[in-house]
Amino acid sequence: MLIALDAMGGDHAPEEPCKGAILACREKPHLSIALVGDSEKIKPLVEKAERNVRSRLSIVHTDEVINGSDSPSLSIRRKKNSSLVVGFEMVRSKEADGIVSSGNTGAIAAGAVLLLGRIPGIDRPGLGAVLPVLNRSTLLMDVGGTVRCKPINLLQFAQMGSIYMKLFQNVENPSVRLLSNGEEMTKGDDVISAARGLIEASCLNFQGYAEGKDIPNGISDVVICDGFTGNVIIKFGEGLGELLKSQFKEEYIHHTLPKIGLFFMWPAMKRVMGRFDWEKYGGSPVLGVNGSVVKVHGRSKANAIAHAITGAANFIERNGVDRIREEIARGVQNGND
Amino acid sequence: MLIALDAMGGDHAPEEPCKGAILACREKPHLSIALVGDSEKIKPLVEKAERNVRSRLSIVHTDEVINGSDSPSLSIRRKKNSSLVVGFEMVRSKEADGIVSSGNTGAIAAGAVLLLGRIPGIDRPGLGAVLPVLNRSTLLMDVGGTVRCKPINLLQFAQMGSIYMKLFQNVENPSVRLLSNGEEMTKGDDVISAARGLIEASCLNFQGYAEGKDIPNGISDVVICDGFTGNVIIKFGEGLGELLKSQFKEEYIHHTLPKIGLFFMWPAMKRVMGRFDWEKYGGSPVLGVNGSVVKVHGRSKANAIAHAITGAANFIERNGVDRIREEIARGVQNGND
């Protein structure tokens, strides 16, 4: 199995993607990775890897990069020799089995649609994020692929998210909720209200609206929202975590008691933090396109990138794209959308 | 000064609103409070208060309640004898100087518009929430008053939020940002992009887009978004806080080391948590209407309600509504909106 890795995407490229590729190859002995990017920069980063890893790492040279500030669809159309576009082309031509990138989220979603194409019946792809919450994992979808949605998009996110949780988190009949500004039927806007009707009429295990506080409380296996809302939420959570960390750090620096306390609490803190380490959850899958595409957070370091690569490999091994294609086709036949 | 308190609103009514009224009267010796609600339920809750507090508490009997599931504007029009509508009527007739409620957010926003009326030049009122963030307070606005917004609404939230932070948090030339799904100009949807243009053309201290993670990091004094997004964000933050608390509690129960650690860390934890105690921040002001209206979280207990009442009293003492009216009139004259 060959996975194309956008070695130039993200804040710590190409160093961290290259380290991540080495870690992933160590973990999965049958995995090969094509590092797509500036070969002069990549070569010194991988040449010291042990032989049985190095032999599974190839370099595909490109001399353009899509930046965070580039317009998603324009950059995909114009930067033909960028690491991201070349990686997608490798998946389209079946040279690679999937692609992983920590680059521009919009460009990854746009590239997935423009270069790989949508699965028949799917209007817009969805970018999901698996969040570790109370007593379960919740797939929040969309988190930035489709900024604003039509009701049909939200229904299809619910369908794809449900399939993803069934197949890849082994959840029997995943529960689905739609994010709104309250639990009551009167909440939401016109789009959310229409989407509620569509999802209720489907055969999904739909349980109504979820509020913001319900996500961390693990109210359901899948929570659906538009990409704007999902993006703001996961970034807000990230910012809150950093704020808390920095506040406690300041306490340790200026006071002695918390230092002693930390000594005793460290194992408990490690256990709790380990439970909520979002980096372990294999990146964010782009669902609804003809290929295995996984987006990693732009600030990711090697470990998170390695988890995303192995997550993509699992998705490919279990024929993830085919399973979604079949289920969506069945749903369309049954008149579920 | 007389403030009308909706004694029947919120999850713990009428007990907690009544306790909150007693606390607020103890704190502000010139404050009187009209408890609006079921007099039979309210009487036993306040009769034991010390004489100089009891003498400043009056009861206005009503026999209807607007619930969380009621449609906002319908309930304001139909439930004429509800505690919320009667409270608003007292402000409209100048019998009371302001109103505080922990009831249905949408109904409070609708009642403020329908019964008190908008300040001339204001299209939609905004519900703000003052959040304790890194090294400052940030006013997030709107958090549920106007679910979806036009660009002009977002501009006016920016104007009113800026005035609020200037007058009530003593911030010189408050910085304003617009919430989006990324920092780059290309982010956001059509509404956000048009609002950006309007705010840039105003004389506000506008600094561009804020991402979700920037809110806890204290990037600016005012962060503007639509009411759907703001509502989801503050509730998500609330849920995350509860999740962390419950996780650490479990650790203390099942292990000894964290118990010892907690003993040493308790002062530091209290300091950090005290800094982020959202209940201290005086409730959420409804800005842009002809009256002082403060919404308190539905789950609030007496302390939070007391803080909201004293916050409303401060707003009234400083002629908050007149100051916003003047500044908006000046802005309209200068062609800022």
Side-chain angles (χ1 to χ4, degrees):
Chain A
M1 181 196 307
L2 179 71
I3 288 180
L5 176 68
D6 171 9
M8 309 310 283
D11 301 350
H12 306 292
E15 291 78 9
E16 296 296 324
C18 291
K19 281 189 210 163
I22 293 169
L23 293 176
C25 280
R26 276 183 200 148
E27 196 166 319
K28 286 195 98 70
H30 301 294
L31 175 66
S32 297
I33 296 174
L35 296 150
V36 189
D38 185 333
S39 63
E40 267 188 48
K41 286 183 181 158
I42 295 170
K43 222 177 250 170
L45 295 168
V46 296
E47 64 188 1
K48 280 180 193 152
E50 57 271 36
R51 191 188 294 175
N52 89 322
V53 165
R54 181 67 190 87
S55 63
R56 289 180 281 135
L57 296 173
S58 54
I59 301 175
V60 176
H61 179 72
T62 58
D63 49 23
E64 275 183 301
V65 174
I66 295 179
N67 299 311
S69 57
D70 283 334
S71 154
S73 43
L74 268 185
S75 59
I76 290 292
R77 287 201 183 88
R78 290 192 186 154
K79 292 192 167 176
K80 293 283 181 211
N81 199 33
S82 62
S83 51
L84 186 62
V85 170
V86 170
F88 271 123
E89 290 293 356
M90 289 175 70
V91 179
R92 173 152 75 171
S93 66
K94 309 263 186 246
E95 192 181 338
D97 298 289
I99 177 170
V100 172
S101 172
S102 40
N104 180 323
T105 308
I108 294 168
V113 171
L114 294 171
L115 301 173
L116 303 183
R118 292 184 296 258
I119 284 175
I122 291 294
D123 185 54
R124 298 281 317 207
L127 181 67
V130 181
L131 309 180
V133 295
L134 192 61
N135 302 327
R136 66 165 100 201
S137 307
T138 287
L139 180 76
L140 182 68
M141 190 164 170
D142 182 73
V143 297
T146 302
V147 176
R148 293 297 184 198
C149 293
K150 293 179 282 184
I152 180 78
N153 303 142
L154 295 170
L155 167 66
Q156 294 187 339
F157 295 164
Q159 292 173 317
M160 295 190 291
S162 193
I163 295 166
Y164 186 84
M165 292 306 277
K166 194 154 57 187
L167 295 182
F168 300 99
Q169 308 277 335
N170 302 314
V171 181
E172 186 86 19
N173 198 22
S175 54
V176 176
R177 282 183 182 254
L178 188 59
L179 188 63
S180 192
N181 55 328
E183 292 166 349
E184 305 84 11
M185 288 280 286
T186 51
K187 300 290 181 173
D189 62 7
D190 292 348
V191 171
I192 290 167
S193 177
R196 185 190 172 110
L198 289 178
I199 304 175
E200 265 170 353
S202 77
C203 49
L204 294 168
N205 179 12
F206 183 59
Q207 303 189 334
Y209 289 146
E211 292 192 86
K213 69 177 161 58
D214 298 330
I215 303 174
N217 288 336
I219 202 172
S220 63
D221 299 303
V222 180
V223 174
I224 298 302
C225 61
D226 68 28
F228 183 90
T229 312
N231 179 285
V232 164
I233 285 176
I234 56 167
K235 285 183 181 164
F236 180 69
E238 208 184 299
L240 271 188
E242 278 167 26
L243 175 63
L244 265 185
K245 245 194 244 170
S246 74
Q247 292 291 308
F248 277 109
K249 210 172 165 184
E250 209 165 282
E251 291 289 336
Y252 303 139
I253 291 168
H254 294 107
H255 303 275
T256 309
L257 286 184
K259 276 191 203 119
I260 304 171
L262 184 66
F263 176 77
F264 289 103
M265 278 182 82
W266 192 238
M269 287 186 90
K270 267 183 83 170
R271 277 193 296 272
V272 172
M273 292 311 164
R275 247 172 268 158
F276 298 103
D277 185 358
W278 295 8
E279 292 196 345
K280 283 188 191 157
Y281 281 73
S284 295
V286 179
L287 301 179
V289 293
N290 291 309
S292 296
V293 182
V294 173
K295 144 87 188 165
V296 204
H297 194 298
R299 288 190 299 164
S300 295
K301 297 281 185 97
N303 267 324
I305 295 169
H307 281 300
I309 296 171
T310 53
N314 292 339
F315 192 82
I316 294 162
E317 274 167 0
R318 296 182 202 176
N319 299 313
V321 174
D322 291 338
R323 298 294 296 271
I324 289 181
R325 195 181 284 121
E326 288 158 20
E327 294 260 358
I328 291 293
R330 201 174 304 144
V332 172
Q333 266 183 350
N334 293 346
N336 288 341
D337 55 348
Chain B
M1 181 197 305
L2 178 71
I3 289 180
L5 176 67
D6 171 7
M8 309 309 284
D11 300 350
H12 307 290
E15 290 79 9
E16 297 297 322
C18 290
K19 282 189 209 163
I22 293 169
L23 292 176
C25 280
R26 275 183 200 147
E27 197 167 316
K28 286 195 98 70
H30 301 294
L31 174 65
S32 296
I33 297 173
L35 296 151
V36 190
D38 185 333
S39 63
E40 267 189 47
K41 286 183 181 158
I42 295 170
K43 223 178 248 170
L45 295 168
V46 295
E47 64 188 4
K48 280 178 193 152
E50 57 271 36
R51 191 187 295 175
N52 89 323
V53 166
R54 181 67 190 88
S55 65
R56 289 181 282 132
L57 295 174
S58 54
I59 300 175
V60 176
H61 179 71
T62 58
D63 50 20
E64 276 184 300
V65 174
I66 294 179
N67 299 310
S69 56
D70 282 334
S71 154
S73 42
L74 268 186
S75 59
I76 290 292
R77 287 200 184 89
R78 289 191 187 157
K79 291 192 167 176
K80 294 283 180 210
N81 199 32
S82 63
S83 51
L84 186 62
V85 171
V86 170
F88 272 123
E89 290 294 355
M90 289 174 71
V91 179
R92 171 151 76 170
S93 67
K94 308 261 186 251
E95 192 183 336
D97 299 288
I99 177 171
V100 172
S101 172
S102 39
N104 181 322
T105 308
I108 295 169
V113 171
L114 295 172
L115 301 174
L116 304 182
R118 292 184 296 258
I119 285 175
I122 292 293
D123 184 53
R124 296 280 318 207
L127 181 67
V130 181
L131 309 180
V133 296
L134 192 62
N135 303 327
R136 67 165 98 201
S137 306
T138 287
L139 181 75
L140 182 68
M141 190 162 169
D142 182 73
V143 297
T146 302
V147 176
R148 293 299 183 197
C149 293
K150 293 179 282 184
I152 180 78
N153 303 142
L154 295 170
L155 167 67
Q156 294 186 339
F157 295 164
Q159 292 174 317
M160 294 191 290
S162 193
I163 295 166
Y164 186 85
M165 292 307 277
K166 194 155 57 188
L167 295 183
F168 299 98
Q169 307 278 334
N170 301 314
V171 180
E172 186 87 20
N173 198 22
S175 54
V176 176
R177 282 183 183 254
L178 188 59
L179 188 63
S180 192
N181 56 328
E183 292 165 348
E184 305 85 12
M185 288 281 284
T186 52
K187 299 290 182 173
D189 61 9
D190 293 348
V191 171
I192 290 167
S193 176
R196 185 189 172 110
L198 290 177
I199 304 175
E200 265 169 355
S202 77
C203 50
L204 294 169
N205 178 13
F206 183 59
Q207 304 188 335
Y209 289 146
E211 292 191 86
K213 68 178 161 57
D214 298 330
I215 303 174
N217 288 336
I219 201 172
S220 63
D221 299 303
V222 180
V223 173
I224 298 302
C225 61
D226 68 28
F228 183 89
T229 312
N231 179 285
V232 164
I233 284 177
I234 56 167
K235 286 183 180 164
F236 181 67
E238 208 185 298
L240 270 188
E242 277 167 28
L243 175 64
L244 265 185
K245 245 193 243 169
S246 74
Q247 290 291 309
F248 277 110
K249 211 172 164 185
E250 209 165 286
E251 290 289 336
Y252 304 140
I253 292 169
H254 294 108
H255 303 274
T256 309
L257 285 184
K259 276 190 202 119
I260 304 171
L262 183 66
F263 177 78
F264 288 103
M265 277 182 84
W266 192 238
M269 288 185 90
K270 266 184 84 171
R271 277 193 296 272
V272 171
M273 292 311 164
R275 248 173 267 157
F276 298 102
D277 185 358
W278 295 8
E279 292 196 344
K280 283 189 191 155
Y281 281 74
S284 296
V286 179
L287 302 178
V289 293
N290 292 309
S292 296
V293 182
V294 173
K295 145 85 189 167
V296 204
H297 194 297
R299 288 190 301 165
S300 296
K301 297 280 185 99
N303 267 323
I305 295 169
H307 282 300
I309 296 171
T310 53
N314 292 339
F315 193 83
I316 294 161
E317 275 167 1
R318 297 182 201 177
N319 298 315
V321 174
D322 291 337
R323 298 295 294 272
I324 289 181
R325 194 181 285 121
E326 287 158 21
E327 295 261 357
I328 290 293
R330 202 174 304 144
V332 172
Q333 267 183 351
N334 293 346
N336 289 341
D337 56 347

